[in-house]
Amino acid sequence: MLPQEFIRVKRDGQKHDRESMHEFLSNYLSGKVADYQVSAWLMASFLKGLDDEETYWLTDEIVESGEKLDLSDVDGIKVDKHSSGGVGDKISLALVPLLASAGLVVSKMSGRGLGHTGGTIDKLESIPGLRTEFSTEEFKDLLRKVGAAIVAQSDALAPLDKKLYSLRDVTATVEALPLIASSIMSKKIAVNSDLVSLDVKLGNGAFITNLEDAKELCRIMLSLGKQFGRRVEIHVTDMNEPLGYAVGNSLEVIEAMDFLKGKVNNRFSALVKQLYVDTLNSVNLPVPDFDKLIASGKPIQKFAEMVQAQGGNPKVIDDYSILPLSKNIFELKADKSGYLDYNNTVEVGMAIVELGGGRTRKEDAIDHGVGIKFFVEGGDKVEKGQVIAHIYYNDQHSLDNALNRLSHSFTIKETESAQRPLIWWSTNSKE
Amino acid sequence: MLPQEFIRVKRDGQKHDRESMHEFLSNYLSGKVADYQVSAWLMASFLKGLDDEETYWLTDEIVESGEKLDLSDVDGIKVDKHSSGGVGDKISLALVPLLASAGLVVSKMSGRGLGHTGGTIDKLESIPGLRTEFSTEEFKDLLRKVGAAIVAQSDALAPLDKKLYSLRDVTATVEALPLIASSIMSKKIAVNSDLVSLDVKLGNGAFITNLEDAKELCRIMLSLGKQFGRRVEIHVTDMNEPLGYAVGNSLEVIEAMDFLKGKVNNRFSALVKQLYVDTLNSVNLPVPDFDKLIASGKPIQKFAEMVQAQGGNPKVIDDYSILPLSKNIFELKADKSGYLDYNNTVEVGMAIVELGGGRTRKEDAIDHGVGIKFFVEGGDKVEKGQVIAHIYYNDQHSLDNALNRLSHSFTIKETESAQRPLIWWSTNSKE
């Protein structure tokens, strides 16, 4: 079948067959089908949809395009963690060592941040000397020794996903649910973990902005998990404001460490606690009392072990000055009294990009020492003149741009808003 | 605006603005926007549509991407002829000299044949020595001296159309009406002729297969003509069977010459006669009596003048043996008695490709001496064993393939079919 004939099938709203999808995608990998043909197909798929069977075939093609990571020679119950990405989302930095301190073997394989969403490995790399690139054997050794690892996504797994994602990113074909589902799940299916734990962010700081879409995405991913024999748990969590107080690389690492010491009490800490309980439940393990576990010091110690195993300085848990942090601090004050209301959380993420702490292109370098530390959360009451955030910046120009972004991210309203849940919806393979 | 933001507008079914369309397309011409972005946009435009204003802007961008051809220093009423392409369509070979012999200045600028549709310049090049590539000044001299010219489309006109068409061809985005309209009309608007005469083929041997689509295409092209100040006439003509008896390069030139001598009486001759009348009416000229004009010998003489001016041997009008024609002739006989019924005329065109007389890729060479000469037309009654066609071929293998194609192009039915019109619909700028 000619590539244009394959494209025509989807353009006309018809269903592909297994054979022709294999031919089209394998010829793309080998260079016989061109980027401009795949992008036309992606747009047709975006607008006409892929059904569950087509999504399964696509996912299978992506999985089979690369190597597989066999964890069967790593003891323990292995959890593979993933988040769809948001603003101030440092959950993995806290949850990975926390669950590991409760006995699970937890890994997070992550891409780098792009656009308004920060990347977990970018954040962790704030710690001087820490590495995130490891060979398969080194990665398994980290899991065997520490039980926790946060590393860069291996290029050997699902290379077709990387090729497709790069194309989707520049052709306005990112947000199609079957394409998102196959992209996320293919990389999880390439690893034989015992539980895939997915965090789908929902709200004005996330890619997904309505609950129906989020539920449909969950349904597709759960279905893929079943078809490929992976146990899956999924939480749809709120991203209508930055998660927690800190946004920016070093600042988020500090908030995660503070949490692991029991020193944080906000929406971020509440959410991590709930995920901690749910994940242990998902694998049918008893749930150690959270406060006792924190009091034991094991979680922050596990973080230090993980940092050390990945080449970073474990003393960072006691000496935050090891982390780069800009000396220039701007005090952002409330210009009136009222209730803080985020209507465009994406702009908080873009403020970090303006400060130099994020990327607009993959090859951009980032500054780990800039960021924003809020003293209030969405919905909190503030008084006129009250310092609501410290902005860590390098130069006036980038600060001005960041302030401009922030001014479009929230308002101060006279009336209180209705409370939003931390978790909008959750599901797992048991259901 | 980033290219992906422009694409997103159309993906979401919204309307572009003039400014952003100019930016996207001019950046495509200069290489800043990639093929894979344009193909995604073309697919979004295919599925979500372009309204009349967007189609006008697109056409304008294509026109302005290249040079313009000013015919104001050529005297007379200048007609620019175009056909959307079909099987056995040698209308221009006959109509261009016929109208020129009646006093008009008629030009046909044409691409080469691709797939099942033969190209007019390929056909004319059957005549040894004849050229179709001319500079602008040479082209105008042909019009001044002869009043008739059939030449290759200049690369200097509307280069953006060539780039877009190549991409559409391999991404299943050819058949969108606004894209077809802008492609056809941009090349006509780049030339300041007095009348644009368009022949839209409709049927199972054409790109357009239903009348509603054909009418909508006419409406868009007429509207473009008005906006750019070009008088337009459009005929939607039948392409549910090969047009006339001959299909293949030399054979079609022979049928056109026979027509100009008054020796042909079939659907082809009837259609050319009607177009002759309508075109003269469109420019408000008196219509010389057709039979008298033919009897005067002027039309075939005009053909000879045109051939000579383009470097070919004018004696061809009296000595058809100047044309290459294969010596191997296969007699195709009816395998039963009944009425000839074409259900897939495209396959007749593909039979010519199999014989070597057409192309599947632009760079393919073609053989002018092969083809099919039918002795009956669609709907005619045939008797079992009757010779219905002569197939001019080079080797057994290509003949077998051609016969296989032909066997899928028509059937012999027991009952007579309803007669089809020659002209399904017509319109012009006066309406």
Side-chain angles (χ1 to χ4, degrees):
Chain A
M1 190 182 260
L2 287 174
Q4 52 267 47
E5 289 171 350
F6 178 81
I7 300 166
R8 183 175 293 118
V9 168
K10 190 45 63 186
R11 182 198 80 186
D12 294 344
Q14 290 157 7
K15 184 169 173 170
H16 292 302
D17 58 66
R18 182 78 176 92
E19 176 73 21
S20 64
M21 190 179 278
H22 171 70
E23 192 184 335
F24 183 74
L25 292 171
S26 59
N27 282 340
Y28 178 45
L29 260 183
S30 68
K32 275 181 247 166
V33 167
D35 278 341
Y36 51 75
Q37 294 176 309
V38 175
S39 66
W41 175 72
L42 288 167
M43 182 57 81
S45 299
F46 188 107
L47 293 173
K48 294 290 186 168
L50 295 172
D51 74 11
D52 283 4
E53 209 168 21
E54 291 172 310
T55 306
Y56 168 72
W57 296 333
L58 171 61
T59 308
D60 196 37
E61 290 298 326
I62 299 174
V63 171
E64 296 300 327
S65 72
E67 293 175 12
K68 288 175 195 167
L69 177 48
D70 183 7
L71 295 182
S72 54
D73 52 357
V74 174
D75 290 338
I77 296 174
K78 287 143 284 186
V79 177
D80 193 357
K81 172 100 192 57
H82 180 85
S83 164
S84 68
V87 178
D89 178 12
K90 75 284 291 176
I91 287 184
S92 295
L93 295 176
L95 191 62
V96 169
L98 179 64
L99 286 170
S101 73
L104 292 177
V105 176
V106 194
S107 60
K108 156 93 178 161
M109 280 181 284
S110 170
R112 294 188 182 275
L114 196 62
H116 75 278
T117 61
T120 302
I121 57 172
D122 289 327
K123 294 170 190 176
L124 198 60
E125 283 176 347
S126 302
I127 301 168
L130 185 136
R131 287 193 298 140
T132 56
E133 311 260 353
F134 294 94
S135 71
T136 301
E137 277 312 308
E138 287 174 325
F139 171 68
K140 291 207 261 187
D141 274 344
L142 291 176
L143 294 183
R144 286 187 194 110
K145 284 180 197 156
V146 186
I150 296 177
V151 302
Q153 181 70 42
S154 162
D155 285 346
L157 302 183
L160 178 55
D161 176 66
K162 196 166 191 173
K163 235 179 136 170
L164 288 173
Y165 192 84
S166 305
L167 203 52
R168 286 165 59 204
D169 194 35
V170 292
T171 57
T173 49
V174 168
E175 303 95 327
L177 300 179
L179 299 178
I180 296 174
S182 64
S183 174
I184 293 174
M185 289 301 291
S186 59
K187 288 172 284 190
K188 303 292 141 189
I189 289 156
V191 183
N192 65 343
S193 50
D194 298 300
L195 177 71
V196 175
S197 175
L198 302 172
D199 182 357
V200 172
K201 298 291 183 196
L202 172 68
N204 63 41
F207 292 113
I208 301 203
T209 53
N210 86 65
L211 184 56
E212 288 314 303
D213 282 352
K215 284 183 177 177
E216 173 64 7
L217 179 61
C218 290
R219 188 194 66 72
I220 302 171
M221 294 197 295
L222 211 61
S223 160
L224 286 172
K226 272 185 190 148
Q227 288 172 282
F228 286 99
R230 290 282 176 283
R231 199 190 298 186
V232 176
E233 68 165 6
I234 318 180
H235 292 85
V236 177
T237 68
D238 186 67
M239 185 38 67
N240 286 296
E241 63 178 284
L243 189 63
Y245 294 133
V247 191
N249 299 287
S250 285
L251 288 172
E252 292 192 47
V253 174
I254 290 170
E255 190 172 25
M257 292 190 290
D258 278 345
F259 166 83
L260 292 168
K261 296 172 182 173
K263 288 184 185 174
V264 180
N265 184 14
N266 56 18
R267 286 171 68 88
F268 156 62
S269 65
L271 181 55
V272 178
K273 276 189 218 179
Q274 188 61 51
L275 296 177
Y276 162 78
V277 172
D278 289 354
T279 302
L280 287 162
N281 278 334
S282 285
V283 293
N284 302 314
L285 281 188
V287 182
D289 180 79
F290 177 78
D291 292 333
K292 281 187 190 159
L293 184 62
I294 291 290
S296 75
K298 283 182 189 167
I300 187 67
Q301 204 48 52
K302 186 57 76 180
F303 183 89
E305 282 175 43
M306 182 179 79
V307 167
Q308 185 163 32
Q310 296 190 208
N313 184 347
K315 289 183 186 146
V316 71
I317 64 168
D318 296 314
D319 181 5
Y320 293 173
S321 73
I322 288 173
L323 293 169
L325 207 53
S326 175
K327 296 284 173 288
N328 307 313
I329 298 177
F330 175 85
E331 291 192 335
L332 180 67
K333 292 176 181 168
D335 59 358
K336 59 180 170 181
S337 297
Y339 297 90
L340 190 62
D341 184 67
Y342 285 94
N343 44 33
N344 193 353
T345 306
V346 165
E347 289 296 292
V348 180
M350 291 311 295
I352 301 298
V353 174
E354 299 287 1
L355 291 171
R359 305 182 176 78
T360 50
R361 293 175 310 167
K362 279 173 196 160
E363 59 275 23
D364 292 345
I366 62 169
D367 181 341
H368 295 89
V370 298
I372 306 171
K373 185 176 173 182
F374 291 95
F375 299 105
V376 287
E377 293 188 279
D380 284 356
K381 188 161 196 331
V382 297
E383 300 298 332
K384 181 173 179 175
Q386 179 184 338
V387 177
I388 56 176
H390 279 171
I391 302 179
Y392 294 74
Y393 70 100
N394 280 325
D395 62 85
Q396 192 62 38
H397 179 69
S398 64
L399 175 63
D400 290 343
N401 289 340
L403 288 170
N404 182 42
R405 292 284 193 170
L406 278 179
S407 72
H408 295 101
S409 72
F410 67 83
T411 57
I412 294 172
K413 292 205 309 184
E414 287 184 15
T415 52
E416 216 167 341
S417 299
Q419 278 219 316
R420 274 169 287 105
L422 282 168
I423 297 175
W424 286 91
W425 204 63
S426 68
T427 182
N428 64 53
S429 296
K430 291 178 189 172
E431 283 163 21
Chain B
M1 189 182 257
L2 287 173
Q4 52 267 48
E5 289 170 348
F6 178 81
I7 300 166
R8 182 176 293 117
V9 168
K10 190 44 65 188
R11 183 198 80 186
D12 293 345
Q14 291 157 8
K15 184 170 175 170
H16 292 302
D17 58 66
R18 182 80 176 93
E19 175 73 21
S20 63
M21 191 180 277
H22 171 70
E23 191 184 336
F24 184 74
L25 292 171
S26 60
N27 282 340
Y28 178 46
L29 261 183
S30 69
K32 274 181 245 165
V33 167
D35 278 341
Y36 51 77
Q37 294 176 309
V38 175
S39 66
W41 176 72
L42 287 167
M43 182 58 79
S45 299
F46 189 108
L47 293 173
K48 294 290 186 169
L50 295 171
D51 73 12
D52 283 5
E53 209 168 22
E54 291 172 310
T55 306
Y56 168 71
W57 296 333
L58 171 61
T59 308
D60 195 37
E61 290 299 326
I62 300 174
V63 172
E64 296 301 327
S65 71
E67 293 176 11
K68 287 175 197 169
L69 177 49
D70 183 7
L71 295 182
S72 55
D73 52 358
V74 175
D75 291 338
I77 297 175
K78 288 144 282 186
V79 177
D80 192 357
K81 172 100 192 59
H82 181 85
S83 163
S84 68
V87 177
D89 177 13
K90 76 283 291 176
I91 287 184
S92 295
L93 295 176
L95 191 61
V96 168
L98 179 65
L99 286 170
S101 74
L104 292 177
V105 176
V106 194
S107 59
K108 156 94 177 161
M109 280 180 285
S110 170
R112 293 189 182 272
L114 196 61
H116 75 277
T117 61
T120 301
I121 56 172
D122 289 328
K123 294 170 190 175
L124 197 60
E125 283 176 347
S126 302
I127 301 168
L130 185 138
R131 288 193 299 139
T132 57
E133 310 261 352
F134 293 93
S135 71
T136 301
E137 276 312 309
E138 288 173 324
F139 172 67
K140 290 207 263 188
D141 275 343
L142 292 176
L143 294 184
R144 286 187 193 108
K145 283 180 198 157
V146 186
I150 296 178
V151 302
Q153 180 69 42
S154 161
D155 285 346
L157 303 183
L160 178 55
D161 176 65
K162 196 166 190 174
K163 232 178 139 169
L164 288 174
Y165 192 84
S166 305
L167 202 52
R168 285 165 59 205
D169 194 36
V170 292
T171 58
T173 49
V174 167
E175 303 93 329
L177 301 180
L179 299 179
I180 295 174
S182 63
S183 174
I184 293 175
M185 288 301 292
S186 58
K187 288 172 285 190
K188 303 291 139 190
I189 289 156
V191 183
N192 65 343
S193 51
D194 298 300
L195 177 70
V196 175
S197 174
L198 302 173
D199 182 358
V200 173
K201 298 292 181 196
L202 171 68
N204 63 41
F207 292 113
I208 299 202
T209 54
N210 86 66
L211 184 56
E212 288 314 303
D213 283 352
K215 284 184 177 177
E216 172 64 7
L217 179 62
C218 291
R219 189 194 63 73
I220 302 171
M221 294 197 295
L222 211 62
S223 160
L224 286 171
K226 272 186 189 146
Q227 288 172 283
F228 285 98
R230 288 284 175 282
R231 197 190 300 187
V232 177
E233 69 166 4
I234 318 180
H235 292 86
V236 177
T237 67
D238 186 66
M239 186 36 69
N240 286 297
E241 62 177 284
L243 188 64
Y245 294 134
V247 190
N249 299 286
S250 286
L251 289 172
E252 293 192 47
V253 174
I254 291 170
E255 190 172 25
M257 292 190 290
D258 278 344
F259 166 83
L260 293 168
K261 297 173 182 174
K263 289 185 186 175
V264 180
N265 185 15
N266 57 16
R267 286 171 68 88
F268 156 63
S269 65
L271 181 55
V272 177
K273 278 188 216 177
Q274 188 61 50
L275 296 177
Y276 162 78
V277 172
D278 290 355
T279 301
L280 285 162
N281 278 332
S282 285
V283 293
N284 302 314
L285 282 189
V287 182
D289 179 79
F290 177 78
D291 292 333
K292 282 188 189 159
L293 185 62
I294 290 290
S296 75
K298 282 183 189 166
I300 187 67
Q301 204 49 51
K302 187 56 78 178
F303 184 88
E305 282 175 43
M306 181 179 81
V307 166
Q308 184 162 33
Q310 294 190 208
N313 185 348
K315 290 184 185 145
V316 71
I317 65 168
D318 297 315
D319 180 5
Y320 293 173
S321 74
I322 287 173
L323 293 168
L325 205 54
S326 177
K327 296 283 173 289
N328 306 313
I329 299 178
F330 176 85
E331 291 192 335
L332 181 65
K333 293 176 180 167
D335 59 359
K336 58 180 170 181
S337 297
Y339 297 90
L340 190 63
D341 185 66
Y342 286 94
N343 43 34
N344 193 353
T345 307
V346 166
E347 289 297 292
V348 180
M350 291 311 295
I352 301 299
V353 175
E354 298 288 1
L355 291 171
R359 304 182 176 78
T360 50
R361 294 175 310 168
K362 280 173 196 160
E363 59 274 24
D364 292 346
I366 61 169
D367 182 341
H368 295 89
V370 297
I372 306 171
K373 185 175 174 183
F374 291 95
F375 300 103
V376 287
E377 293 189 278
D380 284 357
K381 188 160 193 334
V382 298
E383 299 299 331
K384 181 171 176 175
Q386 179 184 338
V387 176
I388 56 176
H390 279 171
I391 303 179
Y392 294 73
Y393 69 101
N394 280 323
D395 62 84
Q396 192 62 40
H397 179 68
S398 64
L399 175 63
D400 290 343
N401 289 340
L403 287 171
N404 183 42
R405 293 285 193 171
L406 279 178
S407 72
H408 293 101
S409 72
F410 67 83
T411 56
I412 294 173
K413 292 203 310 182
E414 287 184 15
T415 52
E416 215 167 342
S417 299
Q419 278 220 318
R420 275 169 287 106
L422 283 168
I423 296 176
W424 286 91
W425 203 63
S426 68
T427 183
N428 65 52
S429 296
K430 291 178 186 169
E431 283 163 19

